[in-house]
Amino acid sequence: MFQPLLRKSLLLLFCLSPMSLFAAEAQSIIIDNYNRMPVGSMGSMQGGAITARANTADAAWYNLAGITQKETSSIDGNVSVYGTNNVTLNGGDVSTNIDTISSFLGGTGKISDDFYYGYSIVVPASFSSSSRLETYTEAVDSDANATVTTEVTESSASFRILAPGFGVAYRIADWLSIGVGARLYIVDIAEQDSWVSLQDGAGYDAYDNLYDSTYNESGSSSLTGSANLLRFEVGIQASLGNSIKLGFNTRTASSRVLSSGRNAYTNSTYSAYYSTGTTDDGDTYVDSEIFSAVDRNPDESTVFDYQMPQETTVGLAFMGDTLEIELDATVYSKIASYDMFSAYTGEVSEDTTTISGDDGTGFTHTNTKNLFEDEYDATENSAEQVVNYAIAGKIKFDQALHLYFGFWKDNSPLSELGDSVSFDGAALGFSKQTDGSVLTAGVFATQGTSADPDLDLSILSVGAVIGASKSF
């Protein structure tokens, strides 16, 4: 079965995203890199390193225990967008179009003196991308054999996670709070590929017999899947004196509630070979073969599965009068290989016509048709355990104006060097408070390089974040 895309071309297409989609030679799709896009008004400007200090509506995403620090009800909204993606492969730019966005809408409220609630609707990952790859090859050998090959591959993909959640928090003591919650993850994934391969050759063989050959192949494939996943969250915040705070937050591995998927593949092949020459007896002969095949599986439902790892974050923060600094470490557990899209059976139709003969025997004509089923491998997903780090801080110029900064490491959970792209990120922003409202704005950038030295792949992404919150 013809695989529409090489691993490298899809690496370029999808590693720009907050999570990356790969279609490999072995029919595998892998979603990787967990921290490409910032989330939340405060968290986005600090690389997510607010587990110990979260005390706004952002806490509904980063650490539910932090909502006990908000004495008034509040609502918060935020959007983060990548504005520029520059991809360099082997010293040259690659043509890739991509739209990437994350968003956050959340709020907090007070049930009683020590009992609070928080909610949020988060889009931690949402991207769409398209790519076109063209290859032209012309080879001429010493025997005057000439071959011209043209290959065109077009791909598009989209991936989106919508994650609404709700939780409650309780202030156990002035220095200790705990929060628990549940979150539904609605995952949608789609990939479409189309390809055309044309090969024309003409020249002379070793016996100076003229021959011509033609090879054409074209096809398309598509994968779509949707799944609803459930995860639970537990968060703790503790103060050790006036200047040290600890934070802990964990999310369970996902449990699939409902899913659906479709897998469609069609590939058509046509080849023709024609040769003519003279036998030792002086007779002219002709040999030709025309072959065509259609490889197709019906566009029918297939089993789709998607898994998210258990993740645990620990944060340590220093709290000063004008400066706050926090260091966070997050562990994402390993996901063993599993079938994202199940295996399926397709239908293959082959037709072969052969014509041969010479002046002495006449021509013979043979036609063979085959119709059979072909098994298609499952599309797999897996991820290694990774640890990501982030350090961030806040500088208070006065009660109303604050400056934020953050640096983070986004390690790839992929084990194969050709797929692995780890990123370093940095963010800078500010907030301005006026009459119970807070406006936030900032910029961020990520730089990634392939772990495979032979690939020489570099990716630079620059984006902006804007948000607002209101207390009442």
Side-chain angles (χ1 to χ4, degrees):
M1 184 176 72
F2 178 84
Q3 292 298 324
L5 290 179
L6 296 177
R7 187 182 296 266
K8 288 183 181 179
S9 63
L10 281 183
L11 179 64
L12 295 176
L13 179 60
F14 297 116
C15 64
L16 299 174
S17 62
M19 298 183 179
S20 302
L21 175 66
F22 293 87
E25 296 91 333
Q27 275 282 95
S28 67
I29 286 181
I30 303 174
I31 309 297
D32 86 327
N33 287 38
Y34 301 111
N35 300 119
R36 286 280 279 136
M37 288 295 291
V39 173
S41 293
M42 301 301 172
S44 61
M45 297 184 296
Q46 300 180 78
I50 62 171
T51 305
R53 297 174 297 129
N55 59 1
T56 64
D58 279 21
W61 170 256
Y62 286 100
N63 188 345
L64 278 166
I67 64 178
T68 62
Q69 308 301 314
K70 193 70 175 177
E71 291 297 331
T72 60
S73 298
S74 66
I75 188 169
D76 190 313
N78 154 264
V79 175
S80 302
V81 180
Y82 272 129
T84 301
N85 288 283
N86 183 43
V87 184
T88 303
L89 176 63
N90 297 327
D93 291 339
V94 177
S95 176
T96 302
N97 299 319
I98 183 165
D99 297 314
T100 312
I101 187 171
S102 71
S103 57
F104 171 91
L105 177 64
T108 63
K110 190 173 183 179
I111 301 175
S112 63
D113 288 342
D114 295 315
F115 198 33
Y116 298 78
Y117 69 90
Y119 60 89
S120 61
I121 302 174
V122 184
V123 180
S126 177
F127 77 89
S128 60
S129 57
S130 62
S131 181
R132 179 182 175 89
L133 181 65
E134 298 183 7
T135 303
Y136 301 96
T137 305
E138 181 174 357
V140 180
D141 62 25
S142 58
D143 294 326
N145 291 324
T147 299
V148 179
T149 302
T150 302
E151 295 182 353
V152 179
T153 302
E154 294 184 336
S155 303
S156 63
S158 62
F159 181 78
R160 182 174 182 267
I161 298 179
L162 175 65
F166 180 84
V168 295
Y170 183 71
R171 185 189 294 122
I172 300 174
D174 290 341
W175 61 275
L176 180 63
S177 298
I178 185 171
V180 295
R183 191 173 297 275
L184 181 68
Y185 291 77
I186 305 170
V187 180
D188 292 295
I189 185 173
E191 179 201 359
Q192 292 184 337
D193 303 314
S194 63
W195 58 92
V196 176
S197 180
L198 308 176
Q199 178 175 300
D200 294 304
Y204 293 90
D205 62 20
Y207 298 97
D208 290 334
N209 295 318
L210 178 66
Y211 76 89
D212 290 292
S213 65
T214 300
Y215 174 82
N216 300 333
E217 182 174 6
S218 63
S220 63
S221 68
S222 65
L223 289 170
T224 59
S226 180
N228 295 336
L229 314 174
L230 184 63
R231 301 172 80 187
F232 298 96
E233 308 171 7
V234 177
I236 298 173
Q237 278 189 351
S239 298
L240 304 180
N242 295 325
S243 58
I244 302 296
K245 294 195 70 172
L246 296 176
F248 170 87
N249 189 70
T250 186
R251 290 188 176 99
T252 63
S254 61
S255 299
R256 186 177 58 174
V257 178
L258 183 67
S259 70
S260 63
R262 298 184 75 82
N263 193 335
Y265 173 84
T266 299
N267 191 62
S268 299
T269 304
Y270 171 85
S271 63
Y273 173 85
Y274 171 83
S275 78
T276 182
T278 304
T279 66
D280 293 338
D281 297 331
D283 296 327
T284 300
Y285 71 84
V286 175
D287 285 319
S288 66
E289 180 179 276
I290 300 174
F291 172 81
S292 64
V294 178
D295 189 353
R296 176 186 295 112
N297 77 290
D299 184 9
E300 60 187 15
S301 295
T302 184
V303 177
F304 172 72
D305 191 14
Y306 186 77
Q307 296 182 15
M308 303 183 74
Q310 178 175 344
E311 59 181 275
T312 301
T313 303
V314 177
L316 173 64
F318 166 79
M319 310 291 290
D321 293 335
T322 59
L323 176 66
E324 299 177 3
I325 296 289
E326 179 170 343
L327 173 64
D328 281 14
T330 304
V331 179
Y332 296 88
S333 64
K334 179 178 180 178
I335 300 177
S337 180
Y338 68 96
D339 293 346
M340 178 183 284
F341 288 91
S342 61
Y344 57 95
T345 301
E347 182 180 89
V348 181
S349 174
E350 294 182 347
D351 188 298
T352 304
T353 300
T354 303
I355 302 173
S356 63
D358 58 43
D359 290 349
T361 62
F363 296 99
T364 61
H365 182 283
T366 303
N367 180 257
T368 302
K369 293 185 178 182
N370 293 318
L371 181 65
F372 59 93
E373 291 184 342
D374 194 10
E375 295 293 329
Y376 296 80
D377 294 335
T379 304
E380 300 175 348
N381 188 20
S382 65
E384 297 297 319
Q385 176 178 296
V386 295
V387 181
N388 288 340
Y389 300 94
I391 185 169
K394 177 170 70 172
I395 300 174
K396 305 173 186 177
F397 293 109
D398 53 42
Q399 288 295 107
L401 182 61
H402 299 165
L403 178 70
Y404 303 88
F405 59 89
F407 305 92
W408 67 94
K409 183 70 175 179
D410 182 21
N411 291 308
S412 172
L414 305 185
S415 58
E416 296 188 23
L417 293 181
D419 293 334
S420 178
V421 179
S422 295
F423 291 86
D424 296 301
L428 182 67
F430 72 92
S431 68
K432 178 67 174 180
Q433 182 175 346
T434 56
D435 297 330
S437 298
V438 179
L439 300 178
T440 58
V443 295
F444 58 90
T446 58
Q447 170 70 45
T449 304
S450 171
D452 185 355
D454 296 330
L455 189 56
D456 191 20
L457 171 67
S458 178
I459 303 168
L460 173 63
S461 302
V462 179
V465 55
I466 187 171
S469 64
K470 176 69 175 178
S471 298
F472 49 89

